[in-house]
C-alpha cells in the first residue's frame, strides 16, 4: 500500500513542534526554503527528519533554462541532500530563469526533439553531480506551442527512459492541462511508463470559467479523485503527496484530505 505524505508548511510548525498526533507517513519539503538558511526553517526540517522520512522537492533547477547549470545552486542542493538524507529528490520539468533573472514561475516549453535532447543531457548531468536518481514533475500549463512534435506524455516518457530519471506524476496537473489543451487525461495516464513513476502529487485547482488554474488552494477535485481511482491498481505502491500552498487549512484538515487517497486505495483492494 502506498505511503501518504503532505507538504511541510510553516503554518503547521507550531502544531508539529507540540508533538501532536500525526497520521500521515512522511513530509515533502520545498528544497529552496531550506538550502540557504541555517536558521529556524532548517532547524524545523531537521526536527521533522528525526521522526519522519522526508522528500525534497525543488522549484528552481530550471533544467530547460538558458543559464543551466547553476553550479552554486547544485552545490547547495547537494549539501542539503547530504544533511537531510531524503528518500526522494525531485524538481519540475520546466524553466524558471533566463540570463540570470529568476522569473518566479514554472514555465512551459515546446515538446520538440531538440528540447528532449536538452532535457535528457541535462537530467543525466544533474544526476551525475548529485550522485543519485531524481524525479521530474509534469507541470500545469496555460499555452501550447505550434512547434510541438510530440505529446507531453511522449516527451516525459522518453526523458525518463533515456536519462534514467524518475517521473513525479502530478495527476491534478494532468487534469488541468487536459481541460486547458483539450486532450484525454486517461490516454496520458495509459501511456506513461508506470515502472518509472516514483511519486504521485495531488492538489486542488480553481476553475476560472475560461480555464483551470493550478492554485493549490482547494481540496482535490472530484474529477481528479476519479482519475486517481481509475488508476489505483498502478498507484498501489507509489508514495502519494497532497500539496496545499494557498489558503492553507489546519494540519488536521490537510491531513484528512491527504488520507482520502488511502481510503480510495483500500476500497479497491477489498
Amino acid at each position: 500500500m502506498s505511503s501518504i505524505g503532505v507538504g511541510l508548511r510553516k503554518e503547521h510548525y507550531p502544531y508539529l513542534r507540540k508533538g501532536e498526533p500525526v497520521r500521515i507517513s512522511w513530509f515533502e519539503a520545498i528544497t529552496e526554503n531550506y538550502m540557504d538558511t541555517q536558521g529556524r526553517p532548517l532547524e524545523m526540517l531537521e526536527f521533522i527528519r528525526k521522526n519522519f522520512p522526508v522528500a525534497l522537492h525543488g522549484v528552481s533547477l530550471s533544467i530547460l533554462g538558458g543559464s543551466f547549470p547553476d553550479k552554486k545552486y547544485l552545490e547547495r542542493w547537494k549539501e542539503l541532500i547530504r544533511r537531510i538524507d531524503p528518500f526522494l529528490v525531485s524538481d519540475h520539468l520546466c524553466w524558471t530563469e533566463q540570463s540570470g533573472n529568476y522569473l518566479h514561475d514554472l514555465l512551459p516549453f515546446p515538446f520538440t526533439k531538440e528540447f528532449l535532447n536538452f532535457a535528457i543531457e541535462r537530467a543525466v548531468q544533474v544526476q551525475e553531480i548529485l550522485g543519485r536518481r531524481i524525479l521530474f514533475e509534469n507541470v500545469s500549463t496555460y499555452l501550447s506551442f505550434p512547434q510541438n512534435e510530440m505529446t507531453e506524455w511522449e516527451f516525459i516518457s522518453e526523458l525518463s527512459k533515456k536519462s534514467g530519471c524518475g517521473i513525479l506524476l502530478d495527476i491534478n496537473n494532468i487534469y488541468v492541462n487536459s481541460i486547458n489543451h483539450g486532450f484525454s487525461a486517461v490516454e496520458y495516464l495509459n501511456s506513461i511508463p508506470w515502472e518509472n513513476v516514483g511519486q504521485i502529487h495531488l492538489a486542488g485547482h480553481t476553475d476560472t470559467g475560461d480555464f483551470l488554474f493550478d492554485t493549490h488552494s482547494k481540496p482535490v477535485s472530484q474529477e481528479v479523485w476519479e482519475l486517481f481511482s481509475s488508476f489505483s491498481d498502478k498507484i498501489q505502491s507509489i508514495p502519494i503527496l497532497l500539496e496545499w500552498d494557498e489558503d492553507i487549512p489546519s494540519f488536521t484538515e490537510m491531513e484528512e484530505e491527504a488520507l482520502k487517497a488511502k481510503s480510495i486505495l483500500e476500497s479497491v483492494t477489498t
Side-chain angles (χ1 to χ4, degrees), residues 21 27 66 88 114 119 121 125-126 143-144 151 167 173 249 259 266:
F27 287 86
L88 284 175
E114 181 180 15
E121 177 183 330
Q125 187 177 356
V126 170
L143 60 84
S144 58
T151 62
I167 299 172
N173 288 351
L259 290 172
E266 288 176 342

Side-chain angles (χ1 to χ4, degrees), residues 24-172:
I24 51 92
S25 303
W26 56 279
F27 287 86
E28 183 183 82
I30 300 298
T31 306
E32 290 77 7
N33 288 350
Y34 302 94
M35 62 194 293
D36 293 323
T37 176
Q38 298 296 314
R40 185 182 177 221
L42 184 57
E43 179 189 342
M44 186 64 199
L45 181 58
E46 291 182 323
F47 172 78
I48 291 295
R49 182 64 186 91
K50 289 179 181 177
N51 299 299
F52 297 94
V54 166
L56 289 179
H57 184 50
V59 295
S60 302
L61 174 62
S62 192
I63 190 169
L64 290 167
S67 302
F68 185 91
D70 183 334
K71 293 183 178 178
K72 290 184 178 178
Y73 174 88
L74 291 171
E75 288 171 2
R76 300 199 309 276
W77 190 12
K78 189 173 183 178
E79 171 56 23
L80 184 64
I81 290 171
R82 184 201 64 74
R83 190 162 186 161
I84 298 301
D85 188 24
F87 75 100
L88 284 175
V89 175
S90 63
D91 206 291
H92 296 82
L93 186 57
C94 67
W95 60 287
T96 61
E97 62 77 35
Q98 184 65 33
S99 303
N101 297 310
Y102 186 64
L103 302 172
H104 300 285
D105 212 341
L106 306 174
L107 297 166
F109 57 90
F111 298 125
T112 64
K113 293 177 182 175
E114 181 180 15
F115 272 94
L116 177 60
N117 290 333
F118 272 142
I120 292 169
E121 177 183 330
R122 292 173 173 189
V124 168
Q125 187 177 356
V126 170
Q127 291 178 122
E128 287 178 349
I129 291 171
L130 297 182
R132 64 180 296 157
R133 186 190 196 208
I134 61 173
L135 279 61
F136 284 99
E137 177 180 355
N138 56 299
V139 300
S140 55
T141 58
Y142 309 96
L143 60 84
S144 58
F145 295 87
Q147 301 93 332
N148 283 349
E149 298 171 343
M150 62 190 85
T151 62
E152 180 180 321
W153 55 91
E154 289 171 337
F155 190 100
I156 198 167
S157 297
E158 284 300 299
L159 171 62
S160 67
K161 291 174 183 175
K162 293 183 177 177
S163 74
C165 74
I167 299 172
L168 196 173
L169 199 61
D170 190 313
I171 296 179
N172 177 63

